[in-house]
């Protein structure tokens, strides 16, 4: 465009120059100066556009302005030079006609990208030119006018075809850009899906791991931060009882509640079914962390309102502080997980910060792990038995087998410690089978009315091979399954309600008895009991401990007893330690009991079974 104005300006000035003194000054000086200023202004405006990006609307406006100004300029310059025509001799008149034709051609070429402007110039300049010189009567000028008309017509055609090619290039470029944008959007979406949890829209495990690793790479030791893990307690039964849609809604609500508790510099992620993780990007005192943990657990304890009723869960938290608890992502996650595990195994809905004491426990645990592997190989586990009695008469009805382990260096390790390790390392199945073999051998010498009650862990229940081998041991020893009861804890059952209830049903069909152990210590939702197949319910000793002072515990025991009789299943109360407890339980209607008051667990030889 500025080039166009340069041509126009140069040509016009030369025309003014040749007519200076011949034509009146107002034409050669003033009008030409006015037109020149207009030219320069437009040229400068265009020059200022060279780095500007226009929106479509602005571009359209500028194009319209250009068409308008090309028309105005066309009219202005044509009128000016045609008025000069009247003043000169033939040479000057030829200059006018030369000026007009060559300038229009130059302008049309310059406007090749803007055919509308090119055509409007052709019309506003070309048409008066044609008419003027055709009517001039000069045969040479008439010939030039016709010649000019033909050239302009050809040029208009050329602009047209050039413009088509030009606009198709622009369109192709636009399509390419659109495609690029589309691909970019798809990529962004993919990236989002790969890093986001679809349900809660929080970061997922992968993106959490990336965040933590980046943080560790960029973190100087001086800059402390905190890794936290949150695990929901009692979430699984929500899915089982209220359905998966309700479970999803609870998770979304949990994520919402957690987000409102956290500062902006915290990263919250959902890293598993009911597991959340967070990174707190600043140092905080133990008290502050405890306080946050408390607020989190309190929030999670507020019931969730579902269409199917109120849902009550709780959550536990474990925190690990960088760099005290570890320097790598794995270490920090393991330590936070350990703290979480500690929190979960204590009272529900608590939070714990990883401490040096935990470090000691981890070491102890790995020592137990090592020792346990050797002891299992050497069949060093043995059994103690605790009678299950008729509370009224004291008569022994059967024995619960309890695992015992004495290790040369570690001393006596209680089952509450080593069973967990055995479950984690996969040794539990071997232990179960070894102990079951011993128990069945013992059972063969017991009076025929007495039964064996044997504890199974969750790993045994979900392992078909273990269950099959248990049956084979029984058959090999010639003991009828009716004399064996398997104790399965309520928490085990809830870990996979469908699978576990199918297993227990299958065990019952084979003739075994099934006891629901530690009832009341777990989720205690009475609404799922009817889904389970069992013959005996063992009330957790937690209820007995509070019995004398807590009328609510009495009420619960009474309710459970009523439930058992309506389900037509037996009931055993565990952990009876005093005469008072026994009497109270008898009053409440309990019949079968177990506890230190009657017998402590001990070797089978301690019980004089020949009397029975
Ligand atoms: P559990 O099945 O609930 O076993 C009863 C536990 O309560 C036993 O602890 C027993 O010694 C204890 N106990 C019995 N009467 C009383 C009482 O009056 N007061 C108190 N305070 N405690 C009493 P133990 O032997 O330490 O076993 C702990 C847990 O370890 C068991 O709880 C059971 O869950 C698990 N366990 C034990 N042996 C085995 C086993 O062979 N296999 C599996 N999978 N788990 C086992
Ligand atoms: Ca038990
Ligand atoms: Ca129990």
């Amino acid at each position: 465009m500025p080039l166009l104005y340069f041509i126009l300006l140069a040509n016009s000035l030369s025309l003014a120059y040749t007519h200076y003194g011949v034509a009146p000054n107002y034409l050669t000086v003033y009008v030409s100066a006015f037109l020149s200023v207009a030219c320069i202004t437009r040229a400068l405006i265009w020059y200022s556009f060279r780095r500007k990006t226009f929106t479509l609307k602005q571009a359209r406006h500028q194009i319209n302005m250009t068409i308008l100004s090309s028309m105005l300029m066309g009219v202005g310059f044509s009128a000016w030079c045609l008025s000069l025509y009247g003043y000169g001799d033939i040479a000057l008149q030829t200059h006018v006609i030369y000026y007009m034709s060559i300038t229009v051609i130059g302008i049309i070429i310059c406007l090749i990208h803007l055919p509308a402007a090119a055509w409007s110039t052709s019309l506003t300049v070309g048409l008066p030119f044609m008419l003027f010189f055709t009517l001039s009567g000069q045969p040479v000028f008439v010939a030039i006018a016709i010649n000019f008309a033909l050239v302009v017509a050809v040029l208009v055609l050329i602009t047209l075809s050039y413009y088509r090619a030009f606009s198709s290039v622009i369109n192709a470029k636009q399509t390419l850009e659109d495609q690029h944008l589309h691909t970019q959007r798809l990529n962004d979406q993919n990236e989002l899906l790969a890093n986001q949890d679809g349900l809660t829209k929080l970061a997922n495990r992968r993106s959490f791991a990336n965040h933590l690793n980046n943080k560790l790479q960029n973190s100087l030791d001086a800059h402390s931060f905190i890794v936290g893990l949150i695990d929901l307690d009692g979430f699984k039964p929500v899915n089982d009882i209220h359905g998966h849609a309700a479970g999803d809604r609870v998770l979304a609500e949990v994520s919402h509640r957690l987000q409102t508790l956290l500062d902006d510099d915290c990263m919250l992620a959902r890293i598993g079914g009911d597991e959340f993780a967070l990174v707190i990007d600043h140092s905080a005192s133990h008290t502050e962390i405890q306080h946050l943990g408390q607020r989190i657990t309190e929030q999670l304890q507020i019931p969730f309102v579902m269409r199917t009723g109120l849902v009550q869960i709780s959550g536990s938290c474990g925190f690990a502080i960088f760099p005290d608890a570890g320097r790598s992502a794995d270490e920090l996650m393991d330590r936070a997980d350990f703290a979480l595990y500690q929190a979960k195994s204590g009272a529900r809905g608590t939070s714990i910060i990883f401490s040096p004491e935990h470090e000691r426990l981890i070491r102890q645990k790995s020592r137990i792990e090592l020792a346990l592997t050797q002891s299992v190989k050497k069949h060093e586990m043995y059994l103690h038995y605790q009678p299950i009695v008729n509370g009224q008469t004291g008569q022994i009805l059967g024995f619960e087998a309890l695992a015992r382990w004495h290790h040369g260096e570690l001393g006596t390790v209680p089952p509450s410690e080593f069973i967990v390790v055995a479950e984690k390392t996969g040794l539990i199945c071997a232990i179960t089978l070894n102990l079951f073999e011993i128990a069945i051998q013992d059972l063969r010498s017991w009076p025929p009315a007495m039964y064996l009650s044997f504890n199974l862990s969750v790993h045994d229940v979900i392992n078909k091979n273990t269950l099959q081998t248990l049956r084979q041991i029984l058959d090999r020893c010639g003991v009828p399954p009716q004399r064996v009861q398997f104790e399965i804890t309520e928490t085990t059952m809830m870990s996979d309600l469908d699978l576990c209830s199918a297993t227990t049903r299958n065990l019952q069909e084979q003739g075994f008895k099934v006891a629901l152990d530690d009832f009341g210590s777990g989720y205690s939702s009475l609404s799922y009991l009817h889904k389970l197949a069992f013959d005996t319910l063992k009330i957790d000793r937690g209820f007995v401990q509070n019995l004398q002072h807590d009328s609510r515990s009495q009420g619960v025991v009474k309710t459970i007893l009523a439930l058992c009789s309506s389900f037509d299943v037996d009931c055993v109360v565990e952990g009876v330690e005093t005469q008072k407890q026994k009497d109270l339980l008898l009053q409440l209607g309990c019949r079968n009991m177990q506890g230190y008051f009657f017998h402590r667990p001990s070797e089978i030889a301690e019980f004089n079974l020949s009397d029975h």
Side-chain angles (χ1 to χ4, degrees), residues 386 404 541 575-578 594-601:
Q386 186 180 33
R404 293 293 177 260
R541 68 165 179 270
V576 182
E577 290 181 355
T578 63
Q594 194 181 354
Y596 293 168
F597 175 73
F598 301 101
H599 303 276
R600 284 187 174 256

Side-chain angles (χ1 to χ4, degrees), residues 198-396:
L199 176 66
T200 58
K201 304 285 176 266
L202 292 177
N204 61 12
R205 177 179 276 277
R206 181 186 123 120
S207 132
F208 182 79
N210 284 342
H211 179 81
L212 188 56
N213 280 321
N214 286 342
K215 191 133 193 52
L216 285 165
Q217 264 164 19
N218 304 327
S219 205
L220 303 170
D221 278 2
H223 177 66
S224 168
F225 64 87
I226 298 134
V227 173
L229 288 178
I230 302 164
D231 192 273
L232 304 183
D233 302 311
F235 175 70
K236 199 145 192 321
V238 176
N239 272 338
D240 293 336
I241 296 161
H242 296 266
H244 283 267
D248 284 357
R249 247 173 291 136
V250 168
L251 286 174
E253 171 70 18
V254 164
S255 121
H256 176 70
R257 288 188 192 176
L258 292 177
Q259 274 169 310
T260 53
L261 286 180
L262 299 174
D263 294 336
D264 289 344
D265 64 351
C266 289
M267 191 236 196
L268 178 67
R270 178 172 169 233
I271 58 168
D274 59 352
E275 259 184 288
F276 294 81
L278 52 105
V279 172
I280 302 168
D281 202 3
H282 57 254
S283 59
S285 68
H286 276 226
T287 326
E288 284 167 337
I289 304 173
Q290 285 293 13
H291 190 60
L292 174 69
Q294 196 186 339
R295 279 190 300 156
I296 290 176
T297 50
E298 276 169 7
Q299 270 297 319
L300 297 178
Q301 260 157 15
I302 300 172
F304 295 79
V305 185
M306 296 287 128
R307 248 179 282 130
T308 41
L310 282 187
V311 168
Q312 175 80 61
I313 57 166
S314 59
S316 310
C317 313
F319 293 103
I321 304 170
F322 172 87
D324 304 354
R327 289 173 180 279
S328 71
D330 282 348
E331 256 178 343
L332 285 167
M333 289 297 276
D334 278 354
R335 302 289 145 94
D337 193 47
F338 190 84
L340 174 69
Y341 180 78
Q342 296 296 317
K344 277 181 97 74
S345 48
R348 284 271 166 82
T350 50
S351 76
I352 285 182
I353 306 170
F354 188 83
S355 69
E357 168 62 14
H358 295 138
E359 194 72 59
R360 198 189 61 73
L361 279 177
I362 288 182
R363 291 223 183 86
Q364 164 85 352
K365 222 172 173 180
S366 63
R367 279 169 63 206
I368 292 185
E369 246 173 65
L370 200 73
L372 195 66
T373 318
Q374 292 157 353
S375 291
V376 171
K377 270 190 206 147
K378 292 194 237 159
H379 296 261
E380 280 178 0
M381 309 281 158
Y382 60 98
L383 286 172
H384 272 178
Y385 292 95
Q386 186 180 33
I388 297 159
V389 300
N390 178 321
Q392 192 102 51
T393 61
Q395 184 205 355
I396 297 180

Side-chain angles (χ1 to χ4, degrees), residues 561-578:
L561 284 169
L563 204 78
C564 285
S565 74
S566 76
F567 280 178
D568 196 22
V569 295
D570 280 341
C571 185
V572 175
V573 188
E574 295 185 289
V576 182
E577 290 181 355
T578 63

Side-chain angles (χ1 to χ4, degrees), residues 383 386 400-404 414-416 418-419 423 428 431-432 435 454-458 460 487 489 517-518 538 540-541 545 574-577 594-597 599-601:
L383 286 172
Q386 186 180 33
E400 174 175 3
L402 295 161
R404 293 293 177 260
S416 52
F418 72 79
I419 293 285
E423 284 177 339
I428 188 69
I431 296 179
T432 302
L435 293 180
F454 191 85
N455 292 290
L456 289 185
S457 102
V458 62
D460 304 321
E487 296 194 6
T489 62
D517 201 1
D518 298 348
K538 295 186 80 174
D540 190 67
R541 68 165 179 270
Q545 272 165 3
E574 295 185 289
V576 182
E577 290 181 355
Q594 194 181 354
Y596 293 168
F597 175 73
H599 303 276
R600 284 187 174 256

